[in-house]
Amino acid sequence: METLAQSVSTIAPTATPVATIPLVCALAGNGTWLAYVLATSAVLLVALCVSKFARYSASPGSLYSYTATVLPPAFGAIAAWSLLLAYVATGSSVIAGFYHYGNLLLRDATGHGTSAVFLSILVTAISIGIAWRDVKISARLMLWIEAVSVSLILIVVVLVLVRHGMHLDRQQFQLRGMTGSGLRLGLVMALFSFVGFESATTLGAEARNPLKTIPRAVIQCALLAGGIFIVCAYTELLGVRGAGYDLGTSQAPMRVLAVVGGVPFLGLLIDIGALVSMFACTLACITAAARVLLLMSHTSLAHRSLRATHLRNETPGRALLVTGIAAVLPTAILAARGAGGLDVYGWMGSLATYGFIVAYALVSIALPRYLRVHGVYRPGAQIIPWLACFAMLLALAGNLYPVPEGPYGKLPYIYLAYLVAGMLWFFWNTRRAALVENQVESAASVAQREAK
């Protein structure tokens, strides 16, 4: 259950109906449901590739380990830095979501909000503390809370569909008003709903019976999440528009939907569930990022001091602290500058998606060679990896050209600058290691000559 909880918590399925679907709708409009159909199809292809790896290997480095074992070291480094950014930026995104819903609920209860920076630091500090002690107990609790929240959302969705009747929404199925550029930008945000579905792989040998439970958790998360998100996307646009509101600008869409469904009290409960879901995702992202950073330190991609683990808890304390600070810093800075929680959620989420897309594509490329190494390659085994890689590259290319306007247009350059810095560090370390090795060999040869 803890293995499944790691992936479920990182996906944060409650966060998609309350925060991500409105952002997708603002971009794709009546094509929101189509964006989620395409995203689900692409993610399922990647999930099949990741589950194949997980059947033969249990490593805390997750996708980085899978890529580094069969591809050249430079590709492994790209996967590592991309995955690290992806988990950290996802953490930043859900921290922003936490302070948005935290202040929303505080205003309802007291009429006043509180500092967004304070809420950001608070949720990060608690998450680091729990991850440092023991993530298993909290993971099981978060899984049940997510299950309750998603159940409430599905109840509201069913009630809205029942009230609307059996006829279909023609505006959505005719994709009225949707543009190609809106769909491609919406697709990236739709993919963000799924990112982290593979994070169960970061637990490695910590999971019980990892070669069976991890592949199962990866496939289950992709399938269940995809089905829920498609239904929610269609129903939210239908219900919120029917109530006279714009889903793309709604700050609390499930409250509107609950009123439409005739159960307004469930809207408040879902918002509380969203707050807890954002916290659970913060914890899961910091946990996953710390384990990736831990393995990177063992392969000289990060400083060796990050290899340290707690003697009793056996958790990577220093790596947890570094990833936690890296996650909260951009959110706290943007919050201090007055940025809205949902805006930061969208910006950091899109940045995270670039890292995940690149990591997913590299894993798909690596799978056929990995199967050959393990002697389990079968004819046609390369078809799914090729399709998965093509889907990821298509999503990436569609958002790099033409470059989007506004803040979203700056994100590709931020990702590329970060990746260049990481690769420069990799090449410098590789060269330094080669020089040290040559010096050792030279000293050994001199000692041999003197001995003769």
Side-chain angles (χ1 to χ4, degrees), residues 126-287:
I126 294 173
S127 298
I128 292 173
I130 293 174
W132 177 75
R133 288 181 61 83
D134 184 7
V135 76
K136 290 184 179 180
I137 297 174
S138 60
R140 184 182 290 265
L141 175 62
M142 294 306 168
L143 180 61
W144 284 111
I145 292 174
E146 284 285 356
V148 172
S149 299
V150 172
S151 298
L152 294 177
I153 289 172
L154 291 178
I155 290 172
V156 172
V157 165
V158 170
L159 289 173
V160 171
L161 291 175
V162 169
R163 292 207 167 200
H164 186 263
M166 296 302 294
H167 55 280
L168 298 176
D169 184 1
R170 291 187 178 181
Q171 290 190 48
Q172 292 196 60
F173 282 95
Q174 291 175 356
L175 305 176
R176 195 172 300 171
M178 187 198 76
T179 63
S181 61
L183 179 61
R184 64 183 177 83
L185 291 174
L187 179 58
V188 170
M189 283 308 304
L191 285 171
F192 178 61
S193 293
F194 294 88
V195 296
F197 76 93
E198 82 299 330
S199 69
T201 60
T202 63
L203 296 176
E206 293 180 76
R208 184 179 302 173
N209 198 5
L211 300 183
K212 289 186 178 180
T213 57
I214 290 178
R216 190 182 306 154
V218 168
I219 296 293
Q220 287 173 348
C221 279
L223 277 172
L224 292 173
I228 292 171
F229 296 160
I230 292 170
V231 173
C232 286
Y234 170 80
T235 308
E236 281 188 54
L237 187 53
L238 172 69
V240 174
R241 183 171 56 206
Y245 295 94
D246 181 6
L247 178 59
T249 59
S250 178
Q251 297 293 304
M254 292 310 300
R255 291 194 182 187
V256 178
L257 218 61
V259 172
V260 173
V263 283
F265 67 95
L266 288 185
L268 177 61
L269 295 179
I270 291 171
D271 283 351
I272 294 172
L275 182 72
V276 177
S277 180
M278 298 294 184
F279 165 68
C281 189
T282 303
L283 171 60
C285 288
I286 291 174
T287 299

Side-chain angles (χ1 to χ4, degrees), residues 82-131:
S82 296
L83 196 61
L84 181 64
L85 172 72
Y87 283 130
V88 169
T90 301
S92 300
S93 176
V94 292
I95 290 170
F98 181 88
Y99 81 67
H100 170 77
Y101 275 94
N103 271 325
L104 192 68
L105 292 169
L106 280 173
R107 290 190 189 99
D108 286 345
T110 66
H112 302 283
T114 188
S115 167
V117 176
F118 168 74
L119 289 176
S120 300
I121 295 173
L122 178 66
V123 69
T124 306
I126 294 173
S127 298
I128 292 173
I130 293 174

